[in-house]
Amino acid sequence: MIAETPGGARPPGEPRHVGYLYLLPALVVFTAFVLVPIARAGYYSLYEWDGVTPATWVGLDNYAEVVSDEDLRRAFLHALVMLFFYAALPVAIGLLLAGLIARARVRGLALFRTVLFLPYVIAMVVVAVMWRMIYDPESGALNELLRAVGLGSLAQSWLGDFNLALPAVGFVGTWVWFGLAMVLLTAGVQKIPQSLFDAARVDGAGMVREFLAVTLPALRGEIAVALTLTTIAALRNFDLIYITTKGGPGKATSVPAFQVYDRAFQTGQVGSAAAVGLTLTAIIFVISLGINRFSETAGAR
Amino acid sequence: MRRWVIATLMLAALVGAGCGSPGGDADENAKKQDEKASSTVEKPDVAAAGDVTLTVWDQEVRGGQAAQIKQLNEQFQQKYPNVTIKRVARSFEDLNKTLKLAVSGPKAPDVVEANQGRPIMGTLVKGGLLEPLDPYAEAYGWADRWSPLLLDLNKFSSDGSEFGSGNLYGVSQMGEIVGVFYNKKKVPEPPKTLDEFEQSLKDAKADGDIPIQFGNLDAWPGIHEYETVLAQTADKQAVRDFVFAREGASFDTPEFQAAAEKLQQWVDAGYFTPDFSGTGYDPAWQRFAKGKGRYLIAGTWLTADLADQMGDNVGFMLMPGTDEGADPVALGGESLPWAITSQSKNKDVAAAYIDFLTDANAATVLAETNNLPAMPVDEGSIAEGLPREVYAEWKRLNDADGIIPYLDYTTPTFYDDISAAIQELMGGKSDPAQFTAGVEEAFRKFADAR
């Protein structure tokens, strides 16, 4: 069909200006619920404000505090550790499983996939309450299990130990997110043409070689999606911390999102909370952008 | 490029729309409140007030608390058919989180439960959002209902800067003490001095029992353990002065350090639940209720649960002091104070309502619904067994004016500061000197900025 140009003023294919009008309803909603709150937060972040009494203008001090305040610095550091447990580890496990599945036909694959995916389906609050019970030093499932198999000496106060608490909480993240990574990646594997694997095998590639040469490059898009989702989850992690440790013991598991809540609703530091929240948003934005850029440029090659 | 210009302009417009610094005028508020506080009123005549709807925000949602408020609300509306009480009940945490917004909004409730201390009541007073109750206290004679400290806890200067003195902004219904629950089967004769108590801990340990059931995963229970010891090592006035941030108060003193030392000694001697830092509060007291452990240092809010589960096998005492028969000192306080918002249009009726919630009839209702009334009450109306033991200790403590307040009232961020510091102290991450110095530093940040 040949495009008609009524009036003939526009070249064919040029969108009509009335098209912008169709964006308006979505733009109004987006403005009301995303842009305005962000702008508001930006405005609050320039004040020292307890939420009720008159605020004091402090300029960018709240942002400077994100870097200079030891508690906040540690919280952001903990967020990096969370990135490892929430993003790196689940994607690595997912890749491993995807590689295995690419190699061999597994009976009852759908069943395994469903079971391994289950943790992701459960609400985070439920997961957190459950793991708090599992980690209980005296009657928790983990220590009971260790004692039952004669490894009682390894039984720990998982959430109460200053060094173990952060990895223990992080591991819950791994448990929740590896299922999603696996489903995404195995689905990606199944879309790789069988001929590629056959060709690699004819060329005498072993399991590792085949994984590196065929599976991994073909999964770039899926890896980017999995990393983006898990990274966002890692950095905005709040519910898990709130329910399991409340940032303790001491401040060993405090993370930025928890600090935002604590400052805004508990300690009356609304300005600082807004600054931390916006900083966190910016970091998430930059990291996701980086991941997507990386997967696109690498894919173009 | 043009897109960015437009986007930037839009953002700028949005920010501009929100301008004018948040909040209101502070000096004006304070002056108005002081004028009100020094005025006098007649006892309000509720029946003549016409049809009134009182909106009340409370957190009386659990067990006996829910029962008492329901009963008292009904009685009040029967007594004054022209008054309708519109009750908004929320959990403690929900109430604390939403109260500031509600009270500063255009449709503020008339009566609210505004938690003691700087974070909530102090901020609301500073914002001019609460009504000073002094004229009503005078008219109704409230001073006789509570021991002095219980009233001080609900007082602020009109600019919100001084805590524990100034105008009265609320009154509380129920008392609470953090004391020592003990298993009567294992402790037939409760210790009378701190030394005897420590000896008993040692014996329990030797028997292979858990001397003190304790779980600090939730971070706040540690405050109760520390202050229970602190009440024995420090002068009560020193603790009060610190919490009220009075001139010259300090956390970094030998007495505060001595309590930290003792607590750490108890940890090192294995007097607490093993792995307490990874154990939740609820599992800990539930294990005590099931007969595991000799003592439980906890608040009287557990009275009903423990009496239910342990029957006659549980007893309650204040932590004994260093000398036998000395005046008792213990961590304690009162339930959230009932306050009137300054935006309320029915302040007189609201005051009459609060008076009704705390008079002699209310005290009896509280006792009958298994609460610990903060006001004096006939002992006979309190259930026999544990509740009556608790009330007897409450009375003994108040007659001696021996309550020390919760440390987390001290500054807006002090709950975080003190609970984390105690976790570090009890986890062996800091020594007593570092502990008191660290907490003092956090306190100074607040005190010096005032």
Side-chain angles (χ1 to χ4, degrees), chain A residues 40 43 50 52-55 132 136-139 157 160 242 249-250 261-262, chain B residues 18 20 22 24 93 97 123 126-127 129 218 277-278 280 287 292 416 423:
Chain A
R40 267 287 206 217
Y43 164 60
D50 59 14
V52 176
T53 57
R132 194 177 137 124
D136 184 280
E138 190 183 320
S139 56
S157 169
Y242 178 72
Y261 158 82
D262 196 45
Chain B
E93 291 203 347
K97 259 170 243 162
T123 318
K126 209 167 155 192
L129 298 168
D218 302 283
S277 59
R287 279 169 204 155
K292 252 179 152 182
D416 283 357
Q423 277 187 326

PDB file of all heavy atoms in Angstrom, chain A residues 40 43 50 52-55 132 136-139 157 160 242 249-250 261-262, chain B residues 18 20 22 24 93 97 123 126-127 129 218 277-278 280 287 292 416 423:
ATOM      1  N   ARG A  40       9.843  16.673  44.246  1.00  0.00           N
ATOM      2  CA  ARG A  40       9.593  16.959  45.660  1.00  0.00           C
ATOM      3  C   ARG A  40      10.740  16.460  46.527  1.00  0.00           C
ATOM      4  O   ARG A  40      11.230  17.172  47.404  1.00  0.00           O
ATOM      5  CB  ARG A  40       8.309  16.232  46.096  1.00  0.00           C
ATOM      6  CG  ARG A  40       7.089  17.093  45.968  1.00  0.00           C
ATOM      7  CD  ARG A  40       7.157  18.078  47.055  1.00  0.00           C
ATOM      8  NE  ARG A  40       5.857  18.574  47.452  1.00  0.00           N
ATOM      9  CZ  ARG A  40       5.644  19.839  47.822  1.00  0.00           C
ATOM     10  NH1 ARG A  40       6.602  20.694  47.802  1.00  0.00           N
ATOM     11  NH2 ARG A  40       4.479  20.224  48.234  1.00  0.00           N
ATOM     12  N   TYR A  43      13.664  18.548  46.234  1.00  0.00           N
ATOM     13  CA  TYR A  43      13.473  19.796  46.964  1.00  0.00           C
ATOM     14  C   TYR A  43      13.700  19.591  48.468  1.00  0.00           C
ATOM     15  O   TYR A  43      14.438  20.330  49.123  1.00  0.00           O
ATOM     16  CB  TYR A  43      12.068  20.290  46.641  1.00  0.00           C
ATOM     17  CG  TYR A  43      11.499  21.348  47.530  1.00  0.00           C
ATOM     18  CD1 TYR A  43      12.123  22.586  47.661  1.00  0.00           C
ATOM     19  CD2 TYR A  43      10.315  21.119  48.218  1.00  0.00           C
ATOM     20  CE1 TYR A  43      11.573  23.554  48.461  1.00  0.00           C
ATOM     21  CE2 TYR A  43       9.760  22.086  49.021  1.00  0.00           C
ATOM     22  CZ  TYR A  43      10.390  23.303  49.149  1.00  0.00           C
ATOM     23  OH  TYR A  43       9.846  24.256  49.946  1.00  0.00           O
ATOM     24  N   ASP A  50      12.495  17.833  59.889  1.00  0.00           N
ATOM     25  CA  ASP A  50      12.034  16.682  60.678  1.00  0.00           C
ATOM     26  C   ASP A  50      10.643  16.231  60.257  1.00  0.00           C
ATOM     27  O   ASP A  50      10.071  15.320  60.837  1.00  0.00           O
ATOM     28  CB  ASP A  50      12.057  17.003  62.175  1.00  0.00           C
ATOM     29  CG  ASP A  50      11.181  18.198  62.510  1.00  0.00           C
ATOM     30  OD1 ASP A  50      10.370  18.595  61.656  1.00  0.00           O
ATOM     31  OD2 ASP A  50      11.296  18.738  63.616  1.00  0.00           O
ATOM     32  N   VAL A  52       7.864  18.128  60.354  1.00  0.00           N
ATOM     33  CA  VAL A  52       6.805  18.942  60.941  1.00  0.00           C
ATOM     34  C   VAL A  52       7.217  20.402  61.103  1.00  0.00           C
ATOM     35  O   VAL A  52       6.602  21.307  60.565  1.00  0.00           O
ATOM     36  CB  VAL A  52       6.383  18.389  62.320  1.00  0.00           C
ATOM     37  CG1 VAL A  52       5.352  19.296  62.947  1.00  0.00           C
ATOM     38  CG2 VAL A  52       5.830  16.983  62.184  1.00  0.00           C
ATOM     39  N   THR A  53       8.283  20.608  61.844  1.00  0.00           N
ATOM     40  CA  THR A  53       8.652  21.975  62.193  1.00  0.00           C
ATOM     41  C   THR A  53       9.394  22.645  61.027  1.00  0.00           C
ATOM     42  O   THR A  53       9.793  21.973  60.081  1.00  0.00           O
ATOM     43  CB  THR A  53       9.540  21.976  63.440  1.00  0.00           C
ATOM     44  OG1 THR A  53      10.664  21.157  63.162  1.00  0.00           O
ATOM     45  CG2 THR A  53       8.803  21.413  64.625  1.00  0.00           C
ATOM     46  N   PRO A  54       9.581  23.969  61.076  1.00  0.00           N
ATOM     47  CA  PRO A  54      10.204  24.670  59.953  1.00  0.00           C
ATOM     48  C   PRO A  54      11.544  24.065  59.557  1.00  0.00           C
ATOM     49  O   PRO A  54      12.347  23.697  60.414  1.00  0.00           O
ATOM     50  CB  PRO A  54      10.404  26.088  60.501  1.00  0.00           C
ATOM     51  CG  PRO A  54       9.380  26.236  61.555  1.00  0.00           C
ATOM     52  CD  PRO A  54       9.175  24.885  62.151  1.00  0.00           C
ATOM     53  N   ALA A  55      11.756  23.989  58.247  1.00  0.00           N
ATOM     54  CA  ALA A  55      12.976  23.379  57.747  1.00  0.00           C
ATOM     55  C   ALA A  55      14.089  24.412  57.633  1.00  0.00           C
ATOM     56  O   ALA A  55      13.834  25.600  57.548  1.00  0.00           O
ATOM     57  CB  ALA A  55      12.707  22.754  56.389  1.00  0.00           C
ATOM     58  N   ARG A 132      14.184 -15.995  58.875  1.00  0.00           N
ATOM     59  CA  ARG A 132      14.508 -15.616  60.244  1.00  0.00           C
ATOM     60  C   ARG A 132      14.339 -16.831  61.154  1.00  0.00           C
ATOM     61  O   ARG A 132      15.112 -17.044  62.078  1.00  0.00           O
ATOM     62  CB  ARG A 132      13.585 -14.480  60.685  1.00  0.00           C
ATOM     63  CG  ARG A 132      14.047 -13.789  61.950  1.00  0.00           C
ATOM     64  CD  ARG A 132      13.116 -12.645  62.273  1.00  0.00           C
ATOM     65  NE  ARG A 132      12.844 -12.659  63.694  1.00  0.00           N
ATOM     66  CZ  ARG A 132      13.065 -11.609  64.495  1.00  0.00           C
ATOM     67  NH1 ARG A 132      13.521 -10.502  64.001  1.00  0.00           N
ATOM     68  NH2 ARG A 132      12.804 -11.688  65.776  1.00  0.00           N
ATOM     69  N   ASP A 136      17.351 -19.211  63.201  1.00  0.00           N
ATOM     70  CA  ASP A 136      17.335 -19.162  64.671  1.00  0.00           C
ATOM     71  C   ASP A 136      18.420 -20.089  65.230  1.00  0.00           C
ATOM     72  O   ASP A 136      18.515 -21.244  64.839  1.00  0.00           O
ATOM     73  CB  ASP A 136      15.968 -19.597  65.200  1.00  0.00           C
ATOM     74  CG  ASP A 136      15.879 -19.464  66.711  1.00  0.00           C
ATOM     75  OD1 ASP A 136      16.385 -20.361  67.424  1.00  0.00           O
ATOM     76  OD2 ASP A 136      15.328 -18.466  67.171  1.00  0.00           O
ATOM     77  N   PRO A 137      19.257 -19.560  66.144  1.00  0.00           N
ATOM     78  CA  PRO A 137      20.397 -20.359  66.595  1.00  0.00           C
ATOM     79  C   PRO A 137      19.996 -21.638  67.321  1.00  0.00           C
ATOM     80  O   PRO A 137      20.664 -22.655  67.180  1.00  0.00           O
ATOM     81  CB  PRO A 137      21.141 -19.430  67.552  1.00  0.00           C
ATOM     82  CG  PRO A 137      20.566 -18.092  67.372  1.00  0.00           C
ATOM     83  CD  PRO A 137      19.220 -18.234  66.760  1.00  0.00           C
ATOM     84  N   GLU A 138      18.920 -21.580  68.101  1.00  0.00           N
ATOM     85  CA  GLU A 138      18.606 -22.755  68.912  1.00  0.00           C
ATOM     86  C   GLU A 138      17.710 -23.744  68.195  1.00  0.00           C
ATOM     87  O   GLU A 138      17.983 -24.930  68.154  1.00  0.00           O
ATOM     88  CB  GLU A 138      17.952 -22.313  70.231  1.00  0.00           C
ATOM     89  CG  GLU A 138      17.841 -23.472  71.206  1.00  0.00           C
ATOM     90  CD  GLU A 138      17.135 -23.071  72.491  1.00  0.00           C
ATOM     91  OE1 GLU A 138      17.401 -21.958  72.965  1.00  0.00           O
ATOM     92  OE2 GLU A 138      16.331 -23.858  73.004  1.00  0.00           O
ATOM     93  N   SER A 139      16.616 -23.236  67.606  1.00  0.00           N
ATOM     94  CA  SER A 139      15.653 -24.172  67.043  1.00  0.00           C
ATOM     95  C   SER A 139      15.474 -23.987  65.538  1.00  0.00           C
ATOM     96  O   SER A 139      14.542 -24.501  64.955  1.00  0.00           O
ATOM     97  CB  SER A 139      14.311 -23.993  67.747  1.00  0.00           C
ATOM     98  OG  SER A 139      13.900 -22.652  67.630  1.00  0.00           O
ATOM     99  N   SER A 157      25.259 -18.455  65.256  1.00  0.00           N
ATOM    100  CA  SER A 157      24.226 -17.451  65.463  1.00  0.00           C
ATOM    101  C   SER A 157      24.204 -16.611  64.184  1.00  0.00           C
ATOM    102  O   SER A 157      24.783 -15.544  64.107  1.00  0.00           O
ATOM    103  CB  SER A 157      24.598 -16.600  66.670  1.00  0.00           C
ATOM    104  OG  SER A 157      23.771 -15.483  66.743  1.00  0.00           O
ATOM    105  N   GLY A 160      23.111 -13.054  64.192  1.00  0.00           N
ATOM    106  CA  GLY A 160      23.591 -12.289  65.332  1.00  0.00           C
ATOM    107  C   GLY A 160      25.088 -12.053  65.295  1.00  0.00           C
ATOM    108  O   GLY A 160      25.630 -11.311  66.083  1.00  0.00           O
ATOM    109  N   TYR A 242      14.619  -5.286  56.997  1.00  0.00           N
ATOM    110  CA  TYR A 242      13.700  -4.785  58.013  1.00  0.00           C
ATOM    111  C   TYR A 242      13.178  -5.921  58.876  1.00  0.00           C
ATOM    112  O   TYR A 242      13.076  -5.804  60.100  1.00  0.00           O
ATOM    113  CB  TYR A 242      12.546  -4.053  57.338  1.00  0.00           C
ATOM    114  CG  TYR A 242      11.500  -3.532  58.283  1.00  0.00           C
ATOM    115  CD1 TYR A 242      11.767  -2.444  59.101  1.00  0.00           C
ATOM    116  CD2 TYR A 242      10.248  -4.128  58.366  1.00  0.00           C
ATOM    117  CE1 TYR A 242      10.821  -1.962  59.972  1.00  0.00           C
ATOM    118  CE2 TYR A 242       9.295  -3.651  59.234  1.00  0.00           C
ATOM    119  CZ  TYR A 242       9.582  -2.569  60.038  1.00  0.00           C
ATOM    120  OH  TYR A 242       8.635  -2.100  60.898  1.00  0.00           O
ATOM    121  N   PRO A 249      23.363  -6.909  63.611  1.00  0.00           N
ATOM    122  CA  PRO A 249      23.780  -6.389  64.924  1.00  0.00           C
ATOM    123  C   PRO A 249      24.671  -5.162  64.754  1.00  0.00           C
ATOM    124  O   PRO A 249      25.426  -5.107  63.786  1.00  0.00           O
ATOM    125  CB  PRO A 249      24.566  -7.555  65.513  1.00  0.00           C
ATOM    126  CG  PRO A 249      25.040  -8.342  64.337  1.00  0.00           C
ATOM    127  CD  PRO A 249      23.994  -8.174  63.283  1.00  0.00           C
ATOM    128  N   GLY A 250      24.610  -4.245  65.694  1.00  0.00           N
ATOM    129  CA  GLY A 250      25.277  -2.962  65.494  1.00  0.00           C
ATOM    130  C   GLY A 250      24.697  -2.339  64.247  1.00  0.00           C
ATOM    131  O   GLY A 250      23.499  -2.130  64.161  1.00  0.00           O
ATOM    132  N   TYR A 261      14.247   4.644  54.946  1.00  0.00           N
ATOM    133  CA  TYR A 261      13.080   4.429  55.794  1.00  0.00           C
ATOM    134  C   TYR A 261      13.330   4.944  57.210  1.00  0.00           C
ATOM    135  O   TYR A 261      12.533   5.689  57.781  1.00  0.00           O
ATOM    136  CB  TYR A 261      12.739   2.940  55.817  1.00  0.00           C
ATOM    137  CG  TYR A 261      11.935   2.514  57.011  1.00  0.00           C
ATOM    138  CD1 TYR A 261      10.559   2.690  57.031  1.00  0.00           C
ATOM    139  CD2 TYR A 261      12.554   1.951  58.119  1.00  0.00           C
ATOM    140  CE1 TYR A 261       9.822   2.316  58.137  1.00  0.00           C
ATOM    141  CE2 TYR A 261      11.822   1.577  59.222  1.00  0.00           C
ATOM    142  CZ  TYR A 261      10.463   1.764  59.231  1.00  0.00           C
ATOM    143  OH  TYR A 261       9.736   1.405  60.325  1.00  0.00           O
ATOM    144  N   ASP A 262      14.460   4.544  57.765  1.00  0.00           N
ATOM    145  CA  ASP A 262      14.779   4.874  59.144  1.00  0.00           C
ATOM    146  C   ASP A 262      14.830   6.390  59.330  1.00  0.00           C
ATOM    147  O   ASP A 262      14.269   6.940  60.279  1.00  0.00           O
ATOM    148  CB  ASP A 262      16.136   4.251  59.490  1.00  0.00           C
ATOM    149  CG  ASP A 262      16.368   4.204  60.985  1.00  0.00           C
ATOM    150  OD1 ASP A 262      15.428   3.821  61.695  1.00  0.00           O
ATOM    151  OD2 ASP A 262      17.466   4.560  61.425  1.00  0.00           O
TER     152      ASP A 262
ATOM    153  N   GLY B  18       6.536  23.834  44.485  1.00  0.00           N
ATOM    154  CA  GLY B  18       6.548  23.351  45.864  1.00  0.00           C
ATOM    155  C   GLY B  18       7.276  24.284  46.809  1.00  0.00           C
ATOM    156  O   GLY B  18       7.479  23.957  47.963  1.00  0.00           O
ATOM    157  N   GLY B  20       8.838  27.630  49.045  1.00  0.00           N
ATOM    158  CA  GLY B  20       8.473  28.138  50.369  1.00  0.00           C
ATOM    159  C   GLY B  20       8.913  27.038  51.289  1.00  0.00           C
ATOM    160  O   GLY B  20       8.578  25.881  51.059  1.00  0.00           O
ATOM    161  N   PRO B  22       9.341  24.127  53.923  1.00  0.00           N
ATOM    162  CA  PRO B  22       8.312  23.318  54.596  1.00  0.00           C
ATOM    163  C   PRO B  22       8.190  23.676  56.073  1.00  0.00           C
ATOM    164  O   PRO B  22       9.173  24.077  56.677  1.00  0.00           O
ATOM    165  CB  PRO B  22       8.829  21.889  54.445  1.00  0.00           C
ATOM    166  CG  PRO B  22      10.029  21.941  53.555  1.00  0.00           C
ATOM    167  CD  PRO B  22      10.481  23.356  53.482  1.00  0.00           C
ATOM    168  N   GLY B  24       6.106  25.576  59.583  1.00  0.00           N
ATOM    169  CA  GLY B  24       5.448  26.848  59.920  1.00  0.00           C
ATOM    170  C   GLY B  24       6.344  27.747  60.749  1.00  0.00           C
ATOM    171  O   GLY B  24       7.547  27.575  60.771  1.00  0.00           O
ATOM    172  N   GLU B  93       3.274   0.813  65.574  1.00  0.00           N
ATOM    173  CA  GLU B  93       4.214   1.294  64.560  1.00  0.00           C
ATOM    174  C   GLU B  93       3.508   2.137  63.506  1.00  0.00           C
ATOM    175  O   GLU B  93       4.027   3.165  63.084  1.00  0.00           O
ATOM    176  CB  GLU B  93       4.926   0.116  63.901  1.00  0.00           C
ATOM    177  CG  GLU B  93       5.863  -0.570  64.868  1.00  0.00           C
ATOM    178  CD  GLU B  93       6.970  -1.336  64.174  1.00  0.00           C
ATOM    179  OE1 GLU B  93       6.879  -1.533  62.945  1.00  0.00           O
ATOM    180  OE2 GLU B  93       7.909  -1.730  64.869  1.00  0.00           O
ATOM    181  N   LYS B  97       4.133   6.173  62.657  1.00  0.00           N
ATOM    182  CA  LYS B  97       4.596   6.579  61.337  1.00  0.00           C
ATOM    183  C   LYS B  97       3.659   7.586  60.686  1.00  0.00           C
ATOM    184  O   LYS B  97       4.089   8.414  59.906  1.00  0.00           O
ATOM    185  CB  LYS B  97       4.707   5.339  60.453  1.00  0.00           C
ATOM    186  CG  LYS B  97       6.132   4.869  60.327  1.00  0.00           C
ATOM    187  CD  LYS B  97       6.178   3.522  59.671  1.00  0.00           C
ATOM    188  CE  LYS B  97       6.752   2.515  60.642  1.00  0.00           C
ATOM    189  NZ  LYS B  97       6.449   1.158  60.273  1.00  0.00           N
ATOM    190  N   THR B 123       8.527  16.719  68.622  1.00  0.00           N
ATOM    191  CA  THR B 123       8.396  17.325  67.297  1.00  0.00           C
ATOM    192  C   THR B 123       7.041  17.985  67.129  1.00  0.00           C
ATOM    193  O   THR B 123       6.938  19.074  66.564  1.00  0.00           O
ATOM    194  CB  THR B 123       8.566  16.240  66.219  1.00  0.00           C
ATOM    195  OG1 THR B 123       9.638  15.392  66.592  1.00  0.00           O
ATOM    196  CG2 THR B 123       8.855  16.858  64.880  1.00  0.00           C
ATOM    197  N   LYS B 126       6.938  21.239  69.061  1.00  0.00           N
ATOM    198  CA  LYS B 126       7.746  22.216  68.335  1.00  0.00           C
ATOM    199  C   LYS B 126       6.959  22.784  67.155  1.00  0.00           C
ATOM    200  O   LYS B 126       7.053  23.970  66.849  1.00  0.00           O
ATOM    201  CB  LYS B 126       8.995  21.510  67.824  1.00  0.00           C
ATOM    202  CG  LYS B 126      10.206  22.377  67.678  1.00  0.00           C
ATOM    203  CD  LYS B 126      11.398  21.437  67.483  1.00  0.00           C
ATOM    204  CE  LYS B 126      12.541  22.076  66.758  1.00  0.00           C
ATOM    205  NZ  LYS B 126      13.503  21.024  66.359  1.00  0.00           N
ATOM    206  N   GLY B 127       6.194  21.932  66.517  1.00  0.00           N
ATOM    207  CA  GLY B 127       5.401  22.363  65.375  1.00  0.00           C
ATOM    208  C   GLY B 127       4.097  23.047  65.773  1.00  0.00           C
ATOM    209  O   GLY B 127       3.301  23.413  64.913  1.00  0.00           O
ATOM    210  N   LEU B 129       1.505  21.738  67.274  1.00  0.00           N
ATOM    211  CA  LEU B 129       0.382  20.907  66.855  1.00  0.00           C
ATOM    212  C   LEU B 129      -0.365  20.279  68.027  1.00  0.00           C
ATOM    213  O   LEU B 129      -1.406  19.675  67.845  1.00  0.00           O
ATOM    214  CB  LEU B 129       0.876  19.805  65.912  1.00  0.00           C
ATOM    215  CG  LEU B 129       1.507  20.340  64.614  1.00  0.00           C
ATOM    216  CD1 LEU B 129       2.231  19.241  63.863  1.00  0.00           C
ATOM    217  CD2 LEU B 129       0.443  20.973  63.737  1.00  0.00           C
ATOM    218  N   ASP B 218      16.211  -8.285  67.694  1.00  0.00           N
ATOM    219  CA  ASP B 218      15.391  -7.121  67.364  1.00  0.00           C
ATOM    220  C   ASP B 218      15.996  -5.807  67.848  1.00  0.00           C
ATOM    221  O   ASP B 218      15.393  -4.755  67.689  1.00  0.00           O
ATOM    222  CB  ASP B 218      13.997  -7.292  67.965  1.00  0.00           C
ATOM    223  CG  ASP B 218      13.335  -8.550  67.450  1.00  0.00           C
ATOM    224  OD1 ASP B 218      12.864  -8.531  66.322  1.00  0.00           O
ATOM    225  OD2 ASP B 218      13.322  -9.564  68.182  1.00  0.00           O
ATOM    226  N   SER B 277      22.355 -12.857  70.427  1.00  0.00           N
ATOM    227  CA  SER B 277      22.299 -11.799  69.406  1.00  0.00           C
ATOM    228  C   SER B 277      21.618 -12.275  68.127  1.00  0.00           C
ATOM    229  O   SER B 277      21.185 -11.463  67.323  1.00  0.00           O
ATOM    230  CB  SER B 277      23.696 -11.269  69.105  1.00  0.00           C
ATOM    231  OG  SER B 277      24.510 -12.317  68.653  1.00  0.00           O
ATOM    232  N   GLY B 278      21.517 -13.578  67.941  1.00  0.00           N
ATOM    233  CA  GLY B 278      20.818 -14.079  66.761  1.00  0.00           C
ATOM    234  C   GLY B 278      19.435 -14.610  67.083  1.00  0.00           C
ATOM    235  O   GLY B 278      18.770 -15.191  66.227  1.00  0.00           O
ATOM    236  N   GLY B 280      15.490 -14.084  68.382  1.00  0.00           N
ATOM    237  CA  GLY B 280      14.430 -13.076  68.420  1.00  0.00           C
ATOM    238  C   GLY B 280      13.885 -12.885  69.829  1.00  0.00           C
ATOM    239  O   GLY B 280      14.063 -13.739  70.704  1.00  0.00           O
ATOM    240  N   ARG B 287      10.450 -19.356  75.307  1.00  0.00           N
ATOM    241  CA  ARG B 287      11.223 -20.451  75.907  1.00  0.00           C
ATOM    242  C   ARG B 287      11.188 -20.349  77.430  1.00  0.00           C
ATOM    243  O   ARG B 287      11.087 -21.356  78.127  1.00  0.00           O
ATOM    244  CB  ARG B 287      12.668 -20.413  75.401  1.00  0.00           C
ATOM    245  CG  ARG B 287      12.791 -21.057  74.034  1.00  0.00           C
ATOM    246  CD  ARG B 287      14.149 -20.786  73.406  1.00  0.00           C
ATOM    247  NE  ARG B 287      14.019 -20.910  71.960  1.00  0.00           N
ATOM    248  CZ  ARG B 287      14.801 -20.311  71.086  1.00  0.00           C
ATOM    249  NH1 ARG B 287      15.798 -19.551  71.498  1.00  0.00           N
ATOM    250  NH2 ARG B 287      14.605 -20.475  69.804  1.00  0.00           N
ATOM    251  N   LYS B 292      12.160 -23.027  80.358  1.00  0.00           N
ATOM    252  CA  LYS B 292      13.609 -23.027  80.120  1.00  0.00           C
ATOM    253  C   LYS B 292      14.176 -21.712  80.613  1.00  0.00           C
ATOM    254  O   LYS B 292      13.777 -20.648  80.147  1.00  0.00           O
ATOM    255  CB  LYS B 292      13.878 -23.152  78.624  1.00  0.00           C
ATOM    256  CG  LYS B 292      14.418 -24.507  78.206  1.00  0.00           C
ATOM    257  CD  LYS B 292      14.625 -24.496  76.709  1.00  0.00           C
ATOM    258  CE  LYS B 292      15.720 -25.434  76.284  1.00  0.00           C
ATOM    259  NZ  LYS B 292      15.923 -25.366  74.835  1.00  0.00           N
ATOM    260  N   ASP B 416      18.359   4.334  67.542  1.00  0.00           N
ATOM    261  CA  ASP B 416      19.351   3.689  66.676  1.00  0.00           C
ATOM    262  C   ASP B 416      20.714   3.660  67.351  1.00  0.00           C
ATOM    263  O   ASP B 416      21.402   2.641  67.353  1.00  0.00           O
ATOM    264  CB  ASP B 416      19.488   4.462  65.355  1.00  0.00           C
ATOM    265  CG  ASP B 416      18.340   4.168  64.417  1.00  0.00           C
ATOM    266  OD1 ASP B 416      17.492   3.325  64.781  1.00  0.00           O
ATOM    267  OD2 ASP B 416      18.285   4.776  63.337  1.00  0.00           O
ATOM    268  N   GLN B 423      24.235  -3.606  71.211  1.00  0.00           N
ATOM    269  CA  GLN B 423      24.527  -4.847  70.479  1.00  0.00           C
ATOM    270  C   GLN B 423      26.032  -5.047  70.343  1.00  0.00           C
ATOM    271  O   GLN B 423      26.543  -6.163  70.484  1.00  0.00           O
ATOM    272  CB  GLN B 423      23.886  -4.808  69.091  1.00  0.00           C
ATOM    273  CG  GLN B 423      22.416  -5.210  69.092  1.00  0.00           C
ATOM    274  CD  GLN B 423      21.837  -5.330  67.687  1.00  0.00           C
ATOM    275  OE1 GLN B 423      22.212  -4.594  66.785  1.00  0.00           O
ATOM    276  NE2 GLN B 423      20.928  -6.268  67.506  1.00  0.00           N
TER     277      GLN B 423
END
